[in-house]
Amino acid sequence: RKEVEQDPGPFNVPEGATVAFNCTYSNSASQSFFWYRQDCRKEPKLLMSVYSSGNEDGRFTAQLNRASQYISLLIRDSKLSDSATYLCVVPRGGSQGNLIFGKGTKLSVKP
Amino acid sequence: DARVTQTPRDKVTEMGQEVTMRCQPILGHNTVFWYRQTMMQGLELLAYFRNRAPLDDSGMPKDRFSAEMPDATLATLKIQPSEPRDSAVYFCASGLGGLTGELFFGEGSRLTVL
């Protein structure tokens, strides 16, 4: 299994839809996980952190399944502005400072 | 508003030339990263510094790439000689380490090697 693996998409959804992305990771010792968002031709920015079973922030919910070694990101009531690439991020070797990024899942929200 | 600053923003050069990219991390951050992003490979970690000491440069081609932090306000990534396959966007990021996992990225340096 790769260190971090994501479905590249693209996910094309209409406004208002609910969409979910999964990410699998190989290091069972990882304690924390992150979702970053990257807009086209921009730098990545932190979207959410996941330290235990999950985290919720408005329309965004991140969940962690340690047994199956995957994390998910759920976006409810999607907006046009949610169109971006979502990167799953896992610390390498348990080290909190050294982060490994997945290749990202591209989301396109259409009117 | 504190931010990571990278120069140059865009660089076009010819194969064989030396390329130096510079990064000013956010003041007070003790971790600095260099990532390379391409469509095919995504974000690849090239080098990782903590308190200016290199901790991981296993992702960096040692024969042509070098990364240094001459002081806390400057990180450099040098490619000598450059090759067309080095064409990519190079991001510098800084952070506080620990559990937050938040890295602050610069806007990137887009390198094209002809």
Side-chain angles (χ1 to χ4, degrees):
Chain A
R1 174 179 274 184
K2 292 182 180 178
E3 284 185 293
V4 184
E5 198 157 13
Q6 298 181 248
D7 180 344
F11 284 63
N12 298 308
V13 303
E15 266 187 297
T18 294
V19 62
F21 314 131
N22 280 343
C23 164
T24 58
Y25 61 93
S26 61
N27 183 7
S28 59
S30 296
Q31 295 296 310
S32 52
F33 307 85
F34 312 94
W35 285 100
Y36 275 66
R37 169 190 169 133
Q38 186 174 22
D39 293 306
C40 186
R41 300 180 75 85
K42 297 288 189 180
E43 71 274 22
K45 294 182 180 179
L46 180 66
L47 176 67
M48 294 186 73
S49 305
V50 187
Y51 296 121
S52 55
S53 60
N55 190 13
E56 185 172 329
D57 183 5
R59 298 182 295 108
F60 296 82
T61 300
Q63 292 192 313
L64 168 63
N65 184 318
R66 290 189 188 278
S68 301
Q69 293 183 214
Y70 77 82
I71 59 174
S72 63
L73 179 67
L74 181 77
I75 305 175
R76 290 181 296 276
D77 187 24
S78 54
K79 313 291 186 189
L80 296 177
S81 57
D82 294 333
S83 297
T85 296
Y86 292 84
L87 306 170
C88 174
V89 185
V90 178
R92 166 175 282 170
S95 167
Q96 298 303 323
N98 191 350
L99 301 180
I100 303 303
F101 284 73
K103 293 184 180 181
T105 298
K106 186 172 182 178
L107 171 65
S108 181
V109 182
K110 307 292 187 183
Chain B
D1 191 22
R3 59 174 58 188
V4 175
T5 304
Q6 287 186 246
T7 56
R9 290 294 309 280
D10 283 281
K11 175 75 174 179
V12 180
T13 191
E14 293 188 345
M15 183 173 62
Q17 296 298 306
E18 177 179 303
V19 176
T20 298
M21 289 168 273
R22 294 177 173 80
C23 168
Q24 181 175 1
I26 292 174
L27 187 65
H29 283 187
N30 66 341
T31 58
V32 175
F33 299 77
W34 282 105
Y35 286 92
R36 173 172 65 183
Q37 188 173 40
T38 61
M39 289 291 292
M40 292 298 294
Q41 300 299 326
L43 269 167
E44 299 174 282
L45 178 67
L46 296 176
Y48 161 41
F49 294 82
R50 180 183 288 272
N51 297 322
R52 294 179 54 204
L55 291 190
D56 185 353
D57 61 0
S58 57
M60 196 166 66
K62 303 293 192 305
D63 57 338
R64 299 184 299 108
F65 285 61
S66 61
E68 295 179 345
M69 277 201 75
D71 62 60
T73 65
L74 177 64
T76 62
L77 179 68
K78 186 177 293 186
I79 308 174
Q80 168 62 22
S82 57
E83 297 181 1
R85 58 180 167 155
D86 301 329
S87 298
V89 180
Y90 290 81
F91 285 104
C92 175
S94 71
L96 292 170
L99 292 175
T100 67
E102 182 164 17
L103 293 185
F104 295 81
F105 282 77
E107 293 180 302
S109 294
R110 182 174 298 273
L111 174 65
T112 303
V113 183
L114 303 175

